[in-house]
Each structure stands twice: as C-alpha cells, then as structure tokens.
Amino acid sequence: AQRVTQPEKLLSVFKGAPVELKCNYSYSGSPELFWYVQYSRQRLQLLLRHISRESIKGFTADLNKGETSFHLKKPFAQEEDSAMYYCALGEYGNKLVFGAGTILRVKS
Amino acid sequence: NAGVTQTPKFQVLKTGQSMTLQCAQDMNHNSMYWYRQDPGMGLRLIYYSASEGTTDKGEVPNGYNVSRLNKREFSLRLESAAPSQTSVYFCASSLARQGAQRGTDTQYFGPGTRLTVL
C-alpha cells in the first residue's frame, strides 16, 4: 500500500530560522510527490511538485529515492509561511494520497 | 471564474438524518474528488469521479454515496449520518487528461463544508 508519513504534527520556529518539514513515502515504483499548503482562511492549494524542481515562495523539496523522502525546506522562515502543509503522493488514476499534515508556526 | 464551489459551508445533523453536499466546478475539469479532513489523519479520499458518468470508491467510502450529475457537478450524500462522520469535507477537481495518467494534474480545492453530527 502506498503511504505518506509526516512525523511532526506541529513545527514551531522563529522568524529567520531554517525550516524543514519532513515527508517519507512508501511506493513500489517511480513516485510523483507534491506539497500542498493551506493558509488560514484559504483553500488548500498546490505549493510545489517534485518533477518541476522549482522553488516556490523560497521553498524547495528534493526527492531522495534512497531514503524515500521528500522533505520541504526553506532557509529563512517568514511569518506568512505559517500554515498547514500536506505532503502527497500521486497514485494511478490521477489520485493523491495525503499525509497527516504538519502545522508550521513561525514566531516573531 | 469561481473555481470549485461547495454548499453548504456549515451543517449540523442529528444521528440518522440524511443530507447532500453539493460541489461544482467551472474549469471544465474531467475529474472530481471528495475528501474528508480529520485531525491527525490528513485528507482521505472518499469517492472520486475520473470523468463524467463514472464514479469509484476511495479509501473511506462506507456511509457515503456520490453522483456525478454532469461534468460540472459532483454531490456527496450521507444517507444516515453518524457521529463518526463529523468532519470537514472538501471537494476538488483536476483537468486529468485522458489516458494512463497518474497524479500529475494539480487538484483545485473548494472551501470545505464543516459537518457536525450529534
């Protein structure tokens, strides 16, 4: 079974500190991985996907097949990064399997 | 464009009552999805519709039924609500081009419906 694990329910950091939101997956094959974000009072939306290898709002995520990880990183956290972050794994049939989510709180 | 819309925003039901959650999208997307969001469990797929006229079970379909009324609309029905169905329900849609596609297409989410079953 395909699974996505986000081990931290809550991650609290100070503004300007580095951020790393962890995501591990289990999948037999070539995975497609995504990060979705839900800001307060906003809809869940795509943040980035691994195939794009892009940086969005200063966030990057590298797929590490050896460690089956797709951690989300940002070198300097900002208060507006506070949100719920979900890691998701693409599944055949254009479906997604989501992790449990991590709340990121950036303190001033 | 409104994107994905959901009604109602909030609902309180008594155990055993029935209700239908409505979802519509105006992006001409092929696929639509219903999720429930519970603390500590993330989003879990209830049902999805790969294209107009088709529906399939997701991870947690028990106690729910769906209808893909047309390309725009995808409704979720609770026939006999139970307290375990207290949750936030999200509808989503994606373009989902035809063919053997995996989750490469972005899913666009509605604002959610907060349902409480007493």
Side-chain angles (χ1 to χ4, degrees):
Chain A
Q2 288 130 193
R3 284 292 176 263
V4 178
T5 303
Q6 294 180 250
E8 302 138 329
K9 285 186 182 175
L10 171 67
L11 183 64
S12 191
V13 302
F14 283 102
K15 178 181 168 183
V19 171
E20 184 179 53
L21 297 163
K22 290 184 168 47
C23 173
N24 289 90
Y25 66 90
S26 62
Y27 185 74
S28 54
S30 206
E32 289 185 284
L33 285 147
F34 308 82
W35 279 98
Y36 277 76
V37 61
Q38 188 174 25
Y39 300 103
S40 178
R41 299 189 195 87
Q42 292 188 31
R43 302 180 184 207
L44 190 63
Q45 59 188 289
L46 177 69
L47 180 63
L48 55 80
R49 62 183 72 197
H50 90 273
I51 56 171
S52 300
R53 300 185 66 80
E54 58 198 345
S55 173
I56 303 291
K57 299 185 178 183
F59 283 99
T60 58
D62 290 320
L63 178 61
N64 185 324
K65 291 186 181 179
E67 295 183 359
T68 60
S69 68
F70 187 57
H71 302 329
L72 184 67
K73 298 177 184 179
K74 185 169 183 176
F76 307 105
Q78 298 172 308
E79 289 180 73
E80 53 264 34
D81 295 329
S82 295
M84 171 72 93
Y85 290 81
Y86 289 102
C87 183
L89 174 67
E91 195 177 42
Y92 181 81
N94 231 315
K95 294 181 289 181
L96 292 171
V97 176
F98 286 88
T102 299
I103 298 170
L104 174 65
R105 284 205 190 122
V106 181
K107 301 176 287 188
S108 57
Chain B
N1 286 356
V4 179
T5 57
Q6 291 183 236
T7 55
K9 287 193 169 68
F10 302 94
Q11 184 72 49
V12 179
L13 294 177
K14 293 180 180 176
T15 297
Q17 287 185 315
S18 62
M19 79 161 296
T20 300
L21 281 65
Q22 306 286 354
C23 174
Q25 51 90 9
D26 61 3
M27 296 176 281
N28 201 34
H29 283 172
N30 292 306
S31 291
M32 297 185 74
Y33 314 82
W34 276 106
Y35 294 92
R36 57 179 291 172
Q37 182 188 45
D38 301 291
M41 307 202 68
L43 276 80
R44 292 180 292 168
L45 184 64
I46 304 170
Y47 270 94
Y48 68 102
S49 170
S51 61
E52 185 180 354
T54 68
T55 60
D56 283 290
K57 294 178 181 179
E59 183 185 351
V60 288
N62 291 347
Y64 306 95
N65 285 302
V66 290
S67 295
R68 183 76 183 264
L69 304 169
N70 46 55
K71 191 170 186 179
R72 290 188 63 248
E73 297 172 290
F74 188 39
S75 62
L76 178 73
R77 182 160 178 84
L78 287 71
E79 290 290 353
S80 179
S84 61
Q85 294 177 304
T86 293
S87 188
V88 181
Y89 291 85
F90 288 99
C91 178
S93 71
S94 71
L95 180 59
R97 290 164 286 257
Q98 296 302 305
Q101 291 284 338
R102 281 175 47 212
T104 54
D105 286 326
T106 301
Q107 290 192 14
Y108 295 85
F109 285 80
T113 295
R114 189 173 292 274
L115 175 67
T116 302
V117 183
L118 302 174

